[in-house]
Amino acid sequence: MIEVRFTDIDSQGHANHLAIAAWISHARVKLLDDAMLWAKMGSRWDHVMVHISIDFKATITYPNTVMIFPEIAKIGRKSVTTNYKVCVKGDDAASATCINVFMCDDKPTRMPESLKDILCDM
């Protein structure tokens, strides 16, 4: 659950698109960091977002609370596609898709089977 801050609002009284992207990014990092922790991948591993697309469906205003619902959409050899639903009071306000690449020692690297197994269960 994310509280919409006054600083997230633009001059029209709507949540700025950059605030919504930041909320999605926070959910993305939490999802993938947790999966990597459970897979015991260690500090040499990381993930980077290489693509994001966001569809805005409804206005988000202040004050409000936002819920982000992540899901794993596709698991590749070195990447995972994640989808997100942004909801306010149970209604869809935005949706997003991110493509994330896993890195080891700063190079795109095939993800371990242990991580794939965890991602499949999410």
Side-chain angles (χ1 to χ4, degrees):
M1 188 172 350
I2 298 170
E3 293 292 326
V4 177
R5 303 171 304 169
F6 179 75
T7 57
D8 294 331
I9 303 304
D10 63 19
S11 62
Q12 301 297 312
H14 309 141
N16 184 281
H17 65 283
L18 295 175
I20 297 168
W23 301 335
I24 292 164
S25 185
H26 177 77
R28 179 189 72 83
V29 168
K30 175 80 172 124
L31 176 74
L32 298 179
D33 282 358
D34 284 353
M36 291 172 60
L37 181 66
W38 295 331
K40 300 179 180 163
M41 292 176 60
S43 62
R44 293 176 47 213
W45 284 88
D46 203 356
H47 54 85
V48 295
M49 181 174 56
V50 297
H51 174 81
I52 186 171
S53 63
I54 303 172
D55 293 316
F56 303 98
K57 299 176 181 185
T59 300
I60 300 172
T61 57
Y62 171 85
N64 237 322
T65 303
V66 176
M67 297 287 291
I68 311 285
F69 298 96
E71 72 174 8
I72 304 297
K74 179 183 172 187
I75 300 170
R77 291 181 323 145
K78 298 178 183 179
S79 67
V80 61
T81 302
T82 50
N83 291 335
Y84 305 86
K85 185 164 53 165
V86 179
C87 295
V88 175
K89 298 177 184 159
D91 295 326
D92 289 356
S95 62
T97 298
C98 299
I99 299 174
N100 313 275
V101 173
F102 290 92
M103 312 279 282
C104 186
D105 297 328
D106 294 327
K107 295 180 184 131
T109 305
R110 187 178 186 137
M111 72 179 93
E113 290 302 316
S114 60
L115 178 61
K116 283 186 180 182
D117 291 344
I118 289 167
L119 293 171
C120 283
D121 290 339
M122 295 180 106

